[in-house]
Amino acid sequence: MFHVKHSGTQHFDILVIGGGHAGIEACIASARMGSKVALITMDFSTVGRLSCNPSIGGSAKGHLAKEIDALGGAMPRIADLSGLQFKMLNTSKGPAVWSPRSQNDKDLYPLFAQHAILTTKNLTVVNETVVEILVQKDVVIGIKTLSNEVLLAKAVILCSGTFLNAVMWTGTESTQGGRVGEQASQKISDLLTSHGLTRGRLKTGTPPRIDRWSINYSQLEPHHGDEAPAPFSLQTHSVRNQLACWATKTTSETHDLMRDGFSRSPMFTGLITGAGPRYCPSIEDKIFRFSDKSSHVILLEPEGLAANTVYVNGFSTSLPADVQDAGLRSIPGLRNAKIQRYGYAVEYDFFFPYQLTFGLETKAIKGLFFAGQINGTSGYEEAAAQGLVAGINAALMVQDKGTFTLQRSEAYIGVMIDDLVNKNTEEPYRIFTSLAEYRLLLRIDTVYDRLLHHGKQLGLVEPAESERYEREQQLKTELLTDLRSSKVTTAEVNPYLESVGEDPITESTTLVNLLKRPAVCACDLLNISGSTFQTVRNEHPRALHAAETEIKYEGYIQQLYRDVERFAEQERMTIPPTFDYNRVNSLSTEAREKLKRINPSSLGQASRIPGVSASDVSILALYLR
C-alpha cells in the first residue's frame, strides 16, 4: 500500500494531493471505481486529523454527511466508529431542518480514516511533499515531489486545505504553516496563477484547548446526547453516547479583558488581510460587532475518551497568549483553566470557484480538480462532499464516462457546488438550510430515496449495503397504505385529540386525515387503532418519521415538485460553450460581464448568477430560442 521510491517514473490514473477530509473521500471513491490512485501526503499520520472542533455534522452539515453516506462515501461510517455523543439538532422545528451531529474522539477518527485508506484496493499512499503540478498545453500530466520524483497521471485532485502560502497568527507573532507543527505549501499557488487561475486570501481560526482537569464542572450546564442516538451511516446499526459536553458564558469582565488586547490583534491591526467566516466569528470579532451583548455562549467539548484536552467552542481567537489566558479565566467554571494549546488564526490562499465546472474540474487546466478549502469553503463536511464529487468525476473522466453532477433540487451537495460556481466568494462558504430553496424535499429522511441509486450506479454502494434501506422503504409503503385505509371511531380517538389540543371528530375517519393535524403524532394513532405497525416506532423509526412527514407536508411537497419541474425546464435549455454574449445587445453591462466570466452551461445556471436580472434571463431565453 505504501509507496517505495525508485528511479523510474511511475504512472497512475489519478493523483490526490492532501489527506484531509476532501482528500480521503477523493482517493477512496476514485479507487473503488476502478482507477489506479495515489494519495500524496506530507505525513500519513496526520491524515484525517480533526484540525478544529472534534465533531461531525450540525445544522445543514449533517445533511451533507448523510448525503455522503447515500453516495457511498467514507466520512459517515468513520464518524459512527469514532463517535462519543450523538444528537439530532433542531427537533423543535420542522423536519426539513432536523440535522444530526456527533462529538468524536480526535485520536480515533484519524485512525479509522487511515484504516479505510489502507484497506482500499487500487490505492497507494505516497509520503511526499508536492512542489509542482505538471501541465502541458493546459492539460495536467502529473506532479513533481520535493525529492525530485515524478508521478504521472491523467487527473490530479488538489485538496490542499489551509496550506497554500499559509501563515498562522497568535497576536502579532506569525509562523508559516497550515496547522500547528505542519509546513505550508509555498509554490503551488504561484504555479496555478501562472496558468491563468485567479486566487484570493481567506482566514479561519481555532480556539484554545484546555486541560480537562482544570475545569470546575459544578459551575457548568451539562449537554447530553439523545436517549436513542441515531448513527450517520446506513451501515451502522447502533451508536452510544459516552460523554457530555458543558456550557458556560463569557462575562462583561471577559469582554473588557479581550478589548484590552485589540491593539495587539492581527485582525484589528491589519496584519491579517484575508476575510474570515461571518457566521462563525472569533470571540474578539463577536465582542467588537455585538457590543450590546453582555455574554456569549461557550461550549466545552471533550476531545476524546483518553484525551486530557477540551475544545473551547465559541472562543476562536488569534489574540496574544496572555490575553487568551486572562479572558478564559474570567469565564465561570474556567477560573483555574490551564491552556494546553493557544488559539490561532490561519491565513491562506484559495482559488475563486467560478473557475470550476460543476464536476469540480478547473476550466483552465483539463484534468485538474479542486476540492475543499482551496475552493473557498470551510468545514469538514463541505470538504468531504467536494472530495467525493471530485473523486467520482476524476474516475469518470479517466474512464471516458462523462460527468456526475447533482441538482439544487436533488441534494445539499448540489446546492453547495452550484453556489460556489455561480456566486462570489467573499468569505469562507458554509452550507445552511436557508440556502436550499427545496429544503423540504432535501430532508435527512429522504436522503437514500434521492441519492442511493447514484451510489449504486457508480459502484460505491454495494447491493448488500442497501438491503436495510429497501426493507425500510417497503415498510414505509405498507405503513402509508395502513394509515390511509385504517379508521378510528369518535370514542377511540376524541379523548386523545382533546389531550393534544385538537378539535374532536364527529364521525369515524382515516388515520391519514387525523395525521394532517399539527399536534397529532403517528405513533399515538397507531397505538389507538391497534395497528400491526406499532413496533415500527422502535425497530424502524426512520420509516415512521418519513411516512408521517410525507403525509403532514403533502400539499407543500407537491407544490415543490411543480417548482422543480419549472426549474428543470430552464436547466434543459443549454447554452453553447462558445456563445458570444456581446451579440446580445439588450443584456445589461453587468450581466454580460458576469455571464462571460462564469460561462454558464444552461439558462437555469445563468438565472442564478448574482447580477443577472430576470429581464436579462428573459432576453437570453428569447435569443436562445
Side-chain angles (χ1 to χ4, degrees):
M1 175 60 68
F2 274 93
H3 165 65
V4 179
K5 295 180 186 178
H6 58 79
S7 56
T9 299
Q10 293 193 77
H11 295 259
F12 293 89
D13 293 323
I14 299 167
L15 303 174
V16 178
I17 305 172
H21 301 283
I24 292 167
E25 299 293 345
C27 69
I28 292 177
S30 52
R32 290 182 64 200
M33 290 174 66
S35 296
K36 184 182 178 184
V37 182
L39 170 66
I40 303 101
T41 174
M42 289 185 279
D43 182 357
F44 186 69
S45 69
T46 67
V47 166
R49 180 174 288 178
L50 298 173
S51 308
C52 200
N53 57 322
S55 69
I56 299 296
S59 184
K61 290 172 175 285
H63 289 76
L64 285 182
K66 293 290 289 184
E67 290 179 356
I68 291 168
D69 187 55
L71 291 170
M75 170 178 274
R77 180 65 174 156
I78 297 169
D80 288 342
L81 290 169
S82 62
L84 303 176
Q85 186 198 89
F86 294 82
K87 196 168 188 176
M88 189 66 70
L89 305 183
N90 305 321
T91 53
S92 62
K93 302 176 182 178
V97 296
W98 290 20
S99 197
R101 186 178 191 266
S102 65
Q103 292 295 135
N104 294 82
D105 192 303
K106 71 166 187 176
D107 298 318
L108 289 178
Y109 190 98
L111 290 179
F112 283 118
Q114 291 160 25
H115 179 265
I117 289 168
L118 294 174
T119 54
T120 299
K121 294 179 181 179
N122 304 320
L123 179 53
T124 300
V125 176
V126 179
N127 268 312
E128 273 282 9
T129 298
V130 177
V131 294
E132 187 177 353
I133 296 174
L134 303 175
V135 179
Q136 281 186 359
K137 297 180 180 179
D138 297 329
V139 177
V140 74
I141 61 168
I143 61 99
K144 182 184 287 186
T145 70
L146 187 63
S147 59
N148 212 34
E149 186 176 14
V150 172
L151 303 178
L152 298 181
K154 301 170 186 175
V156 172
I157 306 172
L158 181 56
C159 309
S160 53
T162 60
F163 284 80
L164 295 182
N165 288 336
V167 179
M168 297 179 292
W169 292 91
T170 299
T172 56
E173 297 181 3
S174 65
T175 307
Q176 288 189 346
R179 194 161 54 192
V180 168
E182 298 181 48
Q183 293 296 313
S185 175
Q186 301 294 343
K187 297 181 179 180
I188 290 178
S189 272
D190 293 339
L191 182 142
L192 294 172
T193 303
S194 72
H195 285 281
L197 289 161
T198 304
R199 63 182 166 183
R201 198 84 170 146
L202 292 174
K203 73 118 178 162
T204 188
T206 190
R209 272 67 162 178
I210 58 177
D211 188 325
R212 69 190 302 178
W213 305 114
S214 67
I215 299 170
N216 182 355
Y217 292 95
S218 66
Q219 296 183 11
L220 308 178
E221 175 191 350
H223 282 208
H224 300 285
D226 292 337
E227 286 187 16
F232 281 103
S233 178
L234 194 64
Q235 301 177 58
T236 307
H237 292 284
S238 64
V239 289
R240 294 182 298 168
N241 288 320
Q242 295 175 272
L243 55 72
C245 297
W246 303 84
T248 183
K249 290 182 179 181
T250 60
T251 64
S252 56
E253 181 189 0
T254 311
H255 297 188
D256 290 339
L257 290 166
M258 305 298 272
R259 287 190 190 98
D260 289 342
F262 282 5
S263 61
R264 292 185 287 150
S265 162
M267 186 175 70
F268 291 125
T269 57
L271 292 172
I272 291 178
T273 59
R278 176 167 41 91
Y279 49 83
C280 187
S282 63
I283 186 64
E284 56 265 36
D285 197 20
K286 284 191 279 190
I287 291 168
F288 178 76
R289 285 165 50 192
F290 308 109
S291 57
D292 58 323
K293 293 195 68 171
S294 60
S295 66
H296 296 281
V297 174
I298 301 293
L299 288 175
L300 303 178
E301 302 174 345
E303 291 197 302
L305 290 175
N308 289 327
T309 52
V310 172
Y311 179 90
V312 188
N313 196 337
F315 203 87
S316 177
T317 183
S318 58
L319 286 169
D322 61 307
V323 178
Q324 294 186 39
D325 273 316
L328 271 177
R329 289 171 184 164
S330 68
I331 297 173
L334 303 182
R335 292 288 176 182
N336 299 310
K338 295 179 182 178
I339 296 181
Q340 300 282 30
R341 193 179 84 193
Y342 288 96
Y344 62 93
V346 184
E347 191 176 23
Y348 57 94
D349 285 352
F350 80 103
F351 285 82
F352 289 98
Y354 68 78
Q355 301 168 103
L356 302 175
T357 67
F358 288 116
L360 299 183
E361 184 180 14
T362 61
K363 296 174 183 176
I365 303 173
K366 182 172 176 55
L368 177 62
F369 295 78
F370 288 170
Q373 285 169 292
I374 190 173
N375 291 333
T377 63
S378 70
Y380 307 148
E381 303 79 9
E382 287 89 343
Q386 292 172 71
L388 181 58
V389 171
I392 289 169
N393 279 303
L396 291 175
M397 189 206 79
V398 166
Q399 298 162 17
D400 197 23
K401 292 183 179 179
T403 302
F404 172 73
T405 59
L406 292 167
Q407 300 297 319
R408 295 183 72 91
S409 58
E410 194 176 8
Y412 274 91
I413 296 175
V415 172
M416 174 181 65
I417 294 176
D418 191 74
D419 283 348
L420 291 175
V421 173
N422 288 327
K423 298 179 180 178
N424 292 327
T425 306
E426 297 176 353
E427 62 184 62
Y429 178 93
R430 175 183 173 173
I431 194 68
F432 288 103
T433 54
S434 59
L435 297 174
E437 53 270 68
Y438 306 111
R439 57 185 171 274
L440 190 55
L441 301 180
L442 305 184
R443 308 183 312 274
I444 58 169
D445 62 272
T446 67
V447 66
Y448 300 106
D449 304 350
R450 294 182 276 118
L451 301 177
L452 193 67
H453 66 284
H454 288 308
K456 291 174 70 174
Q457 187 176 19
L458 291 164
L460 297 175
V461 174
E462 298 294 334
E465 294 177 19
S466 63
E467 286 180 2
R468 189 177 181 188
Y469 159 77
E470 290 165 358
R471 167 59 182 149
E472 287 188 355
Q473 279 298 99
Q474 179 186 351
L475 203 60
K476 174 189 159 186
T477 302
E478 294 172 358
L479 179 57
L480 283 169
T481 301
D482 184 71
L483 290 168
R484 295 184 193 282
S485 60
S486 297
K487 288 188 175 184
V488 285
T489 65
T490 57
E492 288 174 323
V493 80
N494 278 346
Y496 166 71
L497 293 176
E498 291 170 359
S499 72
V500 296
E502 292 284 353
D503 293 334
I505 59 174
T506 58
E507 59 183 5
S508 298
T509 190
T510 60
L511 299 184
V512 74
N513 283 336
L514 292 172
L515 196 52
K516 291 180 179 180
R517 299 187 181 194
V520 174
C521 175
C523 54
D524 293 335
L525 290 183
L526 292 174
N527 288 333
I528 291 168
S529 68
S531 170
T532 57
F533 288 91
Q534 292 178 62
T535 57
V536 171
R537 178 179 185 179
N538 296 323
E539 295 177 11
H540 296 280
R542 287 187 301 219
L544 179 61
H545 172 67
E548 183 171 5
T549 303
E550 190 171 312
I551 290 169
K552 283 189 181 294
Y553 295 91
E554 190 172 26
Y556 297 105
I557 290 171
Q558 292 306 316
Q559 178 60 50
L560 282 175
Y561 280 132
R562 289 191 287 270
D563 291 343
V564 168
E565 182 52 36
R566 285 193 289 270
F567 171 84
E569 287 176 9
Q570 285 195 325
E571 293 298 305
R572 287 192 288 267
M573 188 174 287
T574 59
I575 302 175
T578 57
F579 188 84
D580 185 2
Y581 293 99
N582 291 325
R583 294 168 54 195
V584 189
N585 296 325
S586 301
L587 287 174
S588 67
T589 301
E590 182 184 9
R592 187 177 292 108
E593 290 175 354
K594 296 287 182 66
L595 291 164
K596 287 164 65 177
R597 186 183 73 173
I598 294 175
N599 196 21
S601 59
S602 70
L603 187 66
Q605 184 188 354
S607 71
R608 298 189 298 278
I609 299 173
V612 178
S613 68
S615 61
D616 291 320
V617 173
S618 298
I619 292 164
L620 191 56
L622 286 170
Y623 199 92
L624 289 169
R625 289 193 185 100

